[in-house]
Amino acid sequence: MKRSVRNLGAEELAGRRALVRVDYNVPLGADGEVRDAARIEATVPTLRYLLKRRARPVLLSHLGRPHGTPDPRLSLASVRPVLEHRLGVPVHFEASTDSPRALERSRRLPEEEVLLLENTRFLNGETTDDDELAVRFARLGDLFVNDAFGSMHRAHASTVGITRHLRPAVAGLLVEAELRALGTLMGRPDRPFVVALGGAKIADKIPLLDRFLDRADALLIGGAMANTFFLAQGLQTGRSLVEAGSVQVAKRILNRAGGKLSLPLDLVVVDDPDAERPVAETVAPDRVPDTAMAVDIGERTRHAYGVEVRRARTLFWNGPMGWFEREAFAAGTRALAEAAVEATRTRGFTVIGGGDSARAIRQAGFAERVSFVSTGGGASLEYLARGSLPGVEALDDATVE
Ligand code: ADP
Ligand code: MG
């Protein structure tokens, strides 16, 4: 167990500068406007908690991959008005990160106001966890709060290095909630425990497949991931998205899976997905035409997977069931989302993880109707596969009182 902000005493917060690592790695539009504020929203509870106890939040985040040099298109200035609007207190932006000016502004920050510093990845040394940079970061606060769950699988100066020089170092409320939800899946989940995996990136998800083959009662495979399994079974997949490099692993997993693993019973295929009105038909997995592309799970699969998911007492779902960004191919993903909502309603514990999966459940309007939507794509997967993350390890241990 790690120490969280809630384990800090009033005197550890009042008047102190709380240096908070947040994950504001948000998608920006052409004019630098924030196109999805979910990650900003997710930090509001921690920031309110700190403000209410008269701590003075100074925020650090990365945005994009500027590779150690400033890039105006990746400035956190874009985030400032959005955060101010959500939080309802003044949010100031400082166009540098570890500078004397940033330090001075952190010291002068009044209570009930927030200071947001510039992109940590504008600095050389952030992603290599340079210790001198970590020392300069550590001066910006009197205590460290990590609420950037989506960045905790990276050992960077602002996630790990800083904890070598600044204590207390505690989890924010978002990180605490993430660890609790994912921890339940790793501990003793109520059964049946159903895992649904889709999306595109098999190679990233192999450790997860292995992990859950042992722990789950049923593993439902969909999305482009299923195509690679069909290839491994020797079927023709036409022009479907496959991961050729993962076919051998898929074979190994199929051999080991026994009856636990389910593949789609039918697939929605199209000849030309870019046609104005793509002509879709539903076929058996061994009947995918050479020229066609599988873009969604079919009706029979939706029904079969729906039955399993509704029955689950614990559900983990990562990866959309099809090319859900296209409305015409989103039905399979939506059907699974509906089943997840139903499972939650009948007191199942349901966790959705993964960047695109989280987007899919929000797009379907169901995010509030499942138990937990994990904000960290890679971080959630790595935590589930390995049981720990560098950024989590680095925090103070909770003391048993
Ligand atoms: P997550 O971010 O939830 O972990 P991934 O990144 O692995 O998920 O995969 C999500 C992507 O996979 C989405 O962009 C989705 O459109 C794509 N996808 C899923 N199924 C298919 C398919 N059958 N054909 C093409 N793309 C697919
Ligand atoms: Mg993704």
Side-chain angles (χ1 to χ4, degrees):
M1 277 291 288
K2 289 295 174 179
R3 202 171 178 209
S4 97
V5 275
R6 293 192 297 139
N7 305 126
L8 295 172
E11 72 293 344
E12 288 178 284
L13 292 170
R16 300 270 172 90
R17 291 171 307 160
L19 185 58
V20 190
R21 175 60 159 96
V22 287
D23 180 1
Y24 291 162
N25 185 25
V26 293
L28 297 178
D31 299 321
E33 76 282 6
V34 173
R35 289 179 48 213
D36 180 349
R39 284 184 161 166
I40 301 174
E41 192 70 57
T43 65
V44 166
T46 298
L47 298 178
R48 290 231 167 97
Y49 184 96
L50 292 167
L51 288 164
K52 195 169 165 208
R53 285 158 186 79
R54 298 177 42 228
R56 298 178 295 136
V58 177
L59 312 187
L60 284 178
S61 177
H62 78 282
L63 172 57
R65 294 173 183 270
H67 298 294
T69 41
D71 177 346
R73 288 166 304 180
L74 296 174
S75 173
L76 280 162
S78 306
V79 168
R80 193 207 63 78
V82 181
L83 178 62
E84 186 168 85
H85 179 73
R86 309 276 156 141
L87 209 51
V89 303
V91 176
H92 309 281
F93 175 69
E94 164 54 42
S96 63
T97 318
D98 62 334
S99 68
R101 193 179 143 81
L103 181 61
E104 186 54 31
R105 287 188 77 178
S106 77
R107 290 191 171 134
R108 292 219 202 124
L109 180 69
E111 283 179 20
E112 289 176 62
E113 299 187 13
V114 172
L115 177 63
L116 172 64
L117 302 175
E118 185 56 289
N119 195 339
T120 54
R121 287 198 192 163
F122 284 2
L123 305 173
N124 240 320
E126 159 70 333
T127 60
T128 52
D129 189 7
D130 177 72
D131 202 52
E132 283 174 32
L133 181 59
V135 167
R136 289 198 298 278
F137 280 160
R139 288 197 193 115
L140 297 162
D142 304 310
L143 67 130
F144 179 60
V145 180
N146 198 338
D147 215 21
F149 186 73
S151 310
M152 287 178 109
H153 57 318
R154 311 264 185 233
H156 292 172
S158 69
T159 57
V160 169
I162 202 166
T163 65
R164 293 192 292 266
H165 306 286
L166 183 58
R167 298 278 160 173
V170 301
L173 300 178
L174 170 63
V175 164
E176 194 185 25
E178 291 272 3
L179 295 177
R180 193 180 316 118
L182 300 179
T184 303
L185 304 177
M186 306 298 289
R188 294 167 152 266
D190 286 344
R191 296 188 180 276
F193 176 23
V194 175
V195 173
L197 289 177
K201 293 182 276 182
I202 299 204
D204 287 4
K205 299 181 184 180
I206 288 161
L208 213 63
L209 274 163
D210 269 322
R211 188 47 94 111
F212 284 129
L213 261 188
D214 296 329
R215 309 179 58 88
D217 299 298
L219 221 81
L220 314 173
I221 306 290
M225 179 182 276
N227 299 329
T228 303
F229 278 97
F230 288 134
L231 258 192
Q233 289 184 329
L235 303 184
Q236 304 292 324
T237 53
R239 293 196 295 135
S240 303
L241 180 63
V242 293
E243 219 173 76
S246 296
V247 171
Q248 288 310 321
V249 192
K251 278 189 186 157
R252 176 176 65 73
I253 287 170
L254 282 173
N255 282 332
R256 191 161 97 71
K260 267 191 187 179
L261 188 140
S262 302
L263 292 173
L265 304 166
D266 55 356
L267 299 167
V268 176
V269 299
V270 289
D271 262 335
D272 180 5
D274 292 320
E276 197 170 322
R277 291 167 160 269
V279 184
E281 58 173 330
T282 301
V283 300
D286 59 353
R287 291 279 185 280
V288 177
D290 282 353
T291 53
M293 179 178 183
V295 287
D296 198 3
I297 54 173
E299 190 64 50
R300 284 181 62 210
T301 312
R302 287 171 214 166
H303 179 76
Y305 284 10
V307 168
E308 295 271 357
V309 165
R310 274 191 292 274
R311 258 215 315 247
R313 296 303 317 268
T314 308
L315 171 74
F316 176 65
W317 174 20
N318 166 267
M321 292 290 113
W323 190 353
F324 78 99
E325 292 93 338
R326 304 265 179 115
E327 185 51 37
F329 315 139
T333 300
R334 176 153 328 110
L336 211 81
E338 277 165 9
V341 166
E342 190 59 26
T344 320
R345 216 178 52 77
T346 53
R347 308 195 41 211
F349 179 69
T350 54
V351 178
I352 318 294
D356 293 294
S357 316
R359 218 169 337 241
I361 195 104
R362 274 190 243 116
Q363 180 179 311
F366 293 151
E368 311 300 324
R369 291 159 70 190
V370 295
S371 307
F372 193 73
V373 180
S374 180
T375 53
S380 331
L381 300 187
E382 199 168 313
Y383 185 71
L384 289 171
R386 297 206 308 182
S388 75
L389 297 171
V392 176
E393 288 306 300
L395 300 177
D396 295 349
D397 288 317
T399 49
V400 187
E401 283 161 36

